[in-house]
């Protein structure tokens, strides 16, 4: 018998002899979900030409996915708790594969947008199921550190892997394979899930909180949609302001309802606990900076330096390697010996240092001297941060709340990405336009001034990202007070269940 943070008894089942192979299956599913947010970025120009998309509509290839994913995560997490995590994991995999096949076979832009929205909806079921299966499969402190090290590495590097895969598939096959590639991955994961994964049954007798689902999912969809529309329309556009207002009203009503609902969609004790709240905020702020970096460097490499899609993708390889090293070789080894914030704070400072290197970019910067050092620092910092965030946020949660807690971590990541893309891109566009207007005196120099203006916009936005990441370091240092498992007293909120 063990006791969770909430004081509820938890009967611990025997260690699953197949748990490490099960981790491979969970990791495959998580990688598929994360990389799909970026794998189509590099393929987007090809898809736009093939399907005749307008410049104004092409963003929906990305937005349809993130909107459905971010908006439905809480609902997906609670369904996993009620129905059973293994069932929803398999359901999410099958649905994701079908939606990917539809997207790859798309004959019109509307069909592609719909398929991407379906992908996001099934990802909202799959992602929290995967994380909660990991949480309940690994309870031994040392094993838990290694397992979350792998998971954190994939969560942090999946977006960069998506850019690499997107470049290779687009250049050597075609853009449709950026979607078709999910089908064989999902088939392997489904077979592995049936053979290797164990799970407790769903919560019997519990009901789904329908009003909470409508309020919470509606509010998240409005907020994510508002940020996605802020990029092309501007922050003062009536539609954008209306979406933000609707989102705030719905989320406020959601919180009030959760306080009195008989079976709440998101039990408020999950977000009230200090360490968990600190992890959610740290994750959201970290991803704001990271997604902004992916956006700017992808455009910088292709538009300013003239890289091909595959060369652009491979340029992110050192970042991916650094995230894996930071997560599996540093964080996973140290988390049992040091408090989580002793990894998260230096991690965010390192990541901010990497972003600081990018503020010195010019139209003639070289990859080795300017981009590579920043990518390595950024990757190590993200690896140090993501692993303890996932491990601490999901620690000591009652089994019946594992899915919705996992969904809340994923929601903070997804909403942070949406905010980062819209906010930093708007700053970059505004600053770049102002620079060009102030310096364009000789029409003969227009091309060079435009390039300089674009890069200036990137660097201004990256300065904002540096500040956001330092804020994440401050929040982690002040709010995440959990001790290292080896030094925590009985009953303390540490990243594990305390016998």
């Amino acid at each position: 018998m063990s006791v969770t943070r909430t004081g509820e008894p938890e009967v611990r089942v025997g260690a699953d002899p197949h748990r490490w192979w099960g981790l491979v299956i969970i990791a495959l599913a998580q990688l598929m979900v994360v990389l799909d947010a970026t794998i189509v970025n590099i393929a987007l120009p090809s898809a736009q030409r093939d399907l005749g998309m307008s410049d104004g509509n092409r963003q929906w290839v990305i937005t349809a996915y993130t909107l459905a994913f971010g908006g439905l995560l809480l609902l997906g997490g609670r369904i996993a708790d009620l129905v059973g995590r293994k069932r929803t994991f398999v359901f999410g995999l099958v649905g994701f594969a079908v939606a990917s096949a539809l997207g790859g076979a798309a004959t019109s832009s509307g069909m592609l947008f719909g398929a991407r929205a379906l992908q996001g909806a099934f990802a909202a079921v799959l992602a929290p199921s995967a994380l909660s299966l990991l949480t309940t499969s690994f309870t031994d402190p040392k094993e838990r550190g290694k397992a979350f090290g792998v998971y954190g590495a994939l969560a942090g590097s999946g977006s960069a892997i998506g850019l690499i895969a997107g470049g290779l598939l687009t250049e050597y096959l075609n853009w449709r394979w950026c979607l078709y590639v999910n089908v064989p991955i999902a088939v392997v994961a489904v077979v592995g899930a049936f053979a290797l994964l164990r799970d407790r049954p769903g919560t019997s007798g519990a009901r789904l909180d329908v009003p909470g689902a409508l309020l919470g999912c509606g509010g998240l969809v409005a907020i994510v949609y508002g940020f996605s529309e802020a990029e092309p329309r501007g922050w003062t556009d009536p539609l954008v302001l209306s979406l933000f207002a609707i989102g705030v009203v719905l989320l406020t009503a959601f919180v009030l309802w959760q306080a009195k609902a008989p079976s709440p969609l998101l039990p408020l004790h999950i977000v009230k606990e200090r360490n968990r709240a600190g992890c959610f905020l740290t994750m959201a702020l970290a991803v704001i900076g990271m997604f902004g970096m992916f956006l700017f460097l992808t455009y910088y490499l292709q538009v300013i330096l003239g890289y091909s899609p595959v060369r652009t993708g491979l340029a992110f390889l050192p970042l991916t390697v650094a995230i894996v090293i930071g997560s599996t070789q540093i964080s996973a080894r140290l988390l049992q010996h040091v408090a989580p914030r002793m990894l998260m704070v230096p991690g965010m400072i390192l990541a901010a240092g990497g972003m600081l290197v990018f503020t010195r970019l010019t139209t003639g910067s070289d990859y080795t001297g300017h981009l590579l050092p920043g990518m390595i620092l950024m990757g190590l910092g993200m690896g140090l941060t993501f692993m303890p965030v996932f491990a601490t946020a999901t620690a000591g949660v009652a089994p019946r709340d594992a899915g919705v807690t996992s969904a809340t971590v994923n929601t903070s990541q997804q909403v942070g990405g949406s905010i980062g893309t819209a906010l930093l891109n708007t700053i970059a566009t505004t600053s770049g336009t102002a620079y060009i207007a102030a310096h364009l005196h000789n029409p003969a120099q227009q091309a060079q001034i435009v390039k300089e203006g674009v890069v200036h916009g990137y660097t201004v936005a990256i300065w904002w990202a540096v500040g956001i990441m330092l804020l994440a370091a401050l929040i982690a240092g002040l709010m995440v007070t959990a001790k290292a498992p080896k030094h925590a007293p009985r009953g303390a909120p540490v990243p594990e269940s305390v016998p």
Side-chain angles (χ1 to χ4, degrees):
M1 180 79 71
S2 63
V3 178
T4 66
R5 279 188 194 168
T6 58
E8 299 182 21
E10 173 188 348
V11 179
R12 186 175 291 171
V13 296
D16 180 6
H18 302 301
R19 61 193 177 281
W20 289 107
W21 282 109
L23 174 62
V24 174
I25 301 303
I26 293 169
L28 266 180
Q30 174 64 16
L31 179 62
M32 185 175 66
V33 167
V34 175
L35 68 79
D36 238 69
T38 57
I39 193 170
V40 297
N41 281 25
I42 294 177
L44 193 52
S46 301
Q48 183 179 0
R49 285 193 301 271
D50 274 6
L51 301 179
M53 282 182 255
S54 67
D55 288 346
N57 286 336
R58 67 184 177 186
Q59 61 146 338
W60 280 101
V61 177
I62 311 296
T63 305
Y65 181 80
T66 57
L67 190 61
F69 189 13
L72 298 174
L73 266 166
L74 283 178
L75 180 60
R78 183 47 90 192
I79 289 173
D81 289 332
L82 298 180
V83 178
R85 288 170 279 277
K86 181 175 175 178
R87 287 181 184 175
T88 51
F89 182 78
V90 171
F91 174 74
L93 281 170
V94 172
F96 199 90
V98 171
S100 299
L102 285 173
T107 55
S108 67
S109 57
M111 184 176 174
L112 180 58
F113 299 156
R116 289 287 287 168
L118 268 180
Q119 275 188 306
F122 284 110
V125 174
L126 181 57
S129 302
L131 182 54
S132 53
L133 279 168
L134 180 67
T135 301
T136 55
S137 297
F138 292 90
T139 53
D140 177 79
K142 290 184 179 179
E143 289 189 348
R144 185 181 176 87
K146 293 177 184 177
F148 273 94
V150 172
Y151 189 90
L154 291 173
S157 63
S159 297
I161 294 172
L163 294 172
I164 296 170
L168 291 169
L169 292 169
T170 301
E171 188 146 324
Y172 295 115
L173 293 171
N174 62 53
W175 67 268
R176 296 180 184 276
W177 279 96
C178 292
L179 295 162
Y180 285 143
V181 71
N182 293 320
V183 177
I185 296 174
V187 169
V188 171
V190 167
V191 173
F194 279 119
L196 300 169
L197 294 180
R198 292 172 59 189
D199 184 29
R200 297 176 178 86
T203 306
S204 59
R207 294 182 179 179
L208 185 63
D209 177 17
V210 176
L214 294 174
L215 291 170
C217 295
L220 286 172
V221 166
I223 294 290
V224 174
Y225 187 23
F227 274 106
S228 68
E229 286 296 308
E231 182 181 340
R233 292 174 177 269
W235 294 99
T236 57
D237 183 82
L239 175 62
V240 173
L241 294 176
S242 299
L243 286 168
F244 286 149
I246 292 169
V248 170
V249 169
L250 288 176
L251 290 178
T252 302
F254 171 74
V255 172
L256 295 174
W257 170 251
Q258 295 307 283
K260 61 180 182 179
S263 299
L265 181 69
L266 175 61
L268 293 184
H269 66 79
I270 290 175
V271 292
K272 284 181 178 178
E273 201 277 315
R274 178 172 180 161
N275 292 287
R276 210 169 284 130
C279 287
F280 295 154
L281 286 172
T282 301
M283 171 63 80
L285 292 170
V287 174
I288 287 175
M290 186 176 76
F291 269 56
M293 182 270 299
F294 283 136
L295 177 71
F296 299 139
L297 291 192
T298 299
Y299 277 97
Y300 179 80
L301 289 167
Q302 291 194 72
V303 176
I304 305 300
L305 299 186
Y307 280 27
S308 67
V310 68
R311 191 180 179 192
T312 300
L314 291 174
F316 286 95
L317 187 58
L319 174 73
T320 304
V321 172
I323 290 174
V324 172
I325 291 171
S327 188
T328 62
Q329 302 304 310
I330 302 176
S331 279
R333 294 174 184 271
L334 293 179
L335 185 60
Q336 296 308 309
H337 306 283
V338 301
R341 65 178 169 183
M342 297 304 293
L343 296 170
M344 293 161 65
V345 173
M348 280 290 88
I349 292 173
L350 265 180
M355 296 295 282
L356 199 61
V357 173
F358 298 142
T359 62
R360 301 180 64 83
L361 290 177
T362 67
T363 55
S365 297
D366 66 295
Y367 178 81
T368 305
H370 293 87
L371 291 169
L372 185 60
M375 285 189 177
I376 292 173
L377 286 174
M378 180 83 174
L380 288 174
M382 285 298 178
L384 279 172
T385 303
F386 274 25
M387 183 267 171
V389 164
F390 281 117
T392 307
T394 57
V397 179
R400 61 186 174 84
D401 291 330
V404 73
T405 304
S406 303
T408 309
V409 183
N410 280 286
T411 299
S412 64
Q413 185 178 10
Q414 194 62 35
V415 173
S418 298
I419 293 172
T421 302
L423 174 64
L424 297 181
N425 192 57
T426 302
I427 293 171
T429 303
T430 304
S431 302
T433 302
Y435 181 94
I436 294 168
H439 292 80
L440 188 57
H441 306 301
N442 185 353
Q445 298 178 330
Q446 180 174 354
Q448 181 61 26
I449 295 297
V450 168
K451 271 192 173 184
E452 290 175 0
V454 169
V455 175
H456 173 76
Y458 293 166
T459 57
V460 170
I462 289 170
W463 272 111
W464 278 81
V466 170
I468 290 168
M469 288 187 160
L470 291 176
L471 177 60
L474 180 64
I475 286 174
L478 294 176
M479 293 187 67
V480 184
T481 57
K483 296 183 179 180
K486 281 191 172 184
H487 307 296
R490 181 179 297 272
V494 297
E496 57 175 334
S497 291
V498 183

